[in-house]
């Protein structure tokens, strides 16, 4: 199992950050490799959203199950991928002030076998790190532009 962690402070109130998390159809504007996103069943625990993603290079329809939602605090997605890869994405928010929010993201990558991990692990980890780094950059740019 592999774990990727990122943490950043964005220059907006926690309510604005949470509102962005809830706008799944706008994810392609922010999330690297996400080309189209659709929420099915509403933004609630047990619902799903999917995106057309190129995180594994080739375009794939990727399903995300919403496991947990704590408004303005936490969201957890489970994401099965082809080739025996399973991801869990956890995002936690903490208001630092009325104008700053701490965002912590943890991605856990699990493979069905050690052989798959040895073949695909570095690639999947690299692509997810790049996706999250670019997404955080886009996140900052979106809020910076909104504040100007």
């Amino acid at each position: 199992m592999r774990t990727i962690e990122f943490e950043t402070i964005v220059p907006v109130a926690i309510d604005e950050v949470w509102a962005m998390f809830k706008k799944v159809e706008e994810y392609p504007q922010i999330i690297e490799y996400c080309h189209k996103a659709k929420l099915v069943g509403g933004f609630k625990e047990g619902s799903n959203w999917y995106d057309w993603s190129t995180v594994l290079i080739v375009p794939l329809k990727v399903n995300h199950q919403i496991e947990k939602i704590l408004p303005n605090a936490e969201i957890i997605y489970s994401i099965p991928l082809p080739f025996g890869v399973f991801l869990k994405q956890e995002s936690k928010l903490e208001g630092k002030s009325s104008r700053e929010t701490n965002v912590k993201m943890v991605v856990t990558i699990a493979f069905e076998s050690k052989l798959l991990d040895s073949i695909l692990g570095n690639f999947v980890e690299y692509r997810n790190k790049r996706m999250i780094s670019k997404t955080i950059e886009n996140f900052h740019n979106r809020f910076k532009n909104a504040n100007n």
Side-chain angles (χ1 to χ4, degrees):
M1 186 162 23
R2 297 162 184 255
T3 302
I4 305 167
E5 295 186 32
F6 286 86
E7 193 164 359
T8 189
I9 295 176
V10 290
V12 293
I14 197 168
D15 291 341
E16 292 180 65
V17 176
W18 187 254
M20 194 187 72
F21 271 90
K22 290 173 56 175
K23 295 177 185 173
V24 172
E25 281 80 8
E26 293 183 17
Y27 284 6
Q29 299 169 24
I30 300 162
I31 300 174
E32 184 78 355
Y33 307 130
C34 178
H35 301 282
K36 180 181 178 181
K38 176 110 175 108
L39 180 63
V40 180
F43 191 76
K44 60 185 179 187
E45 290 179 3
S47 291
N48 294 304
W49 67 274
Y50 66 85
D51 69 328
W52 283 97
S53 174
T54 53
V55 71
L56 297 179
I57 305 288
V58 296
L60 298 169
K61 185 177 179 180
V62 178
N63 185 54
H64 303 68
Q65 181 174 6
I66 302 172
E67 279 190 14
K68 181 178 181 180
I69 293 178
L70 295 174
N72 286 359
E74 183 177 17
I75 185 161
I76 299 175
Y77 301 128
S78 294
I79 308 157
L81 294 174
F83 314 113
V85 182
F86 181 81
L87 301 180
K88 183 172 277 197
Q89 291 180 344
E90 301 178 51
S91 300
K92 293 185 179 185
L93 307 178
E94 180 185 354
K96 300 305 265 181
S97 70
S98 62
R99 302 180 86 198
E100 287 187 329
T101 302
N102 187 67
V103 180
K104 181 176 183 180
M105 300 182 75
V106 177
V107 178
T108 305
I109 307 167
F111 293 84
E112 285 182 357
S113 72
K114 288 183 181 183
L115 178 62
L116 283 172
D117 187 14
S118 66
I119 294 169
L120 297 173
N122 288 337
F123 172 74
V124 173
E125 183 176 353
Y126 168 77
R127 292 290 284 186
N128 275 275
K129 282 181 180 178
R130 186 178 184 325
M131 176 187 66
I132 294 171
S133 292
K134 185 64 176 167
T135 299
I136 288 172
E137 181 182 320
N138 293 341
F139 214 64
H140 279 276
N141 289 337
R142 182 178 184 122
F143 288 121
K144 182 170 52 173
N145 292 337
N147 289 332
N148 288 336

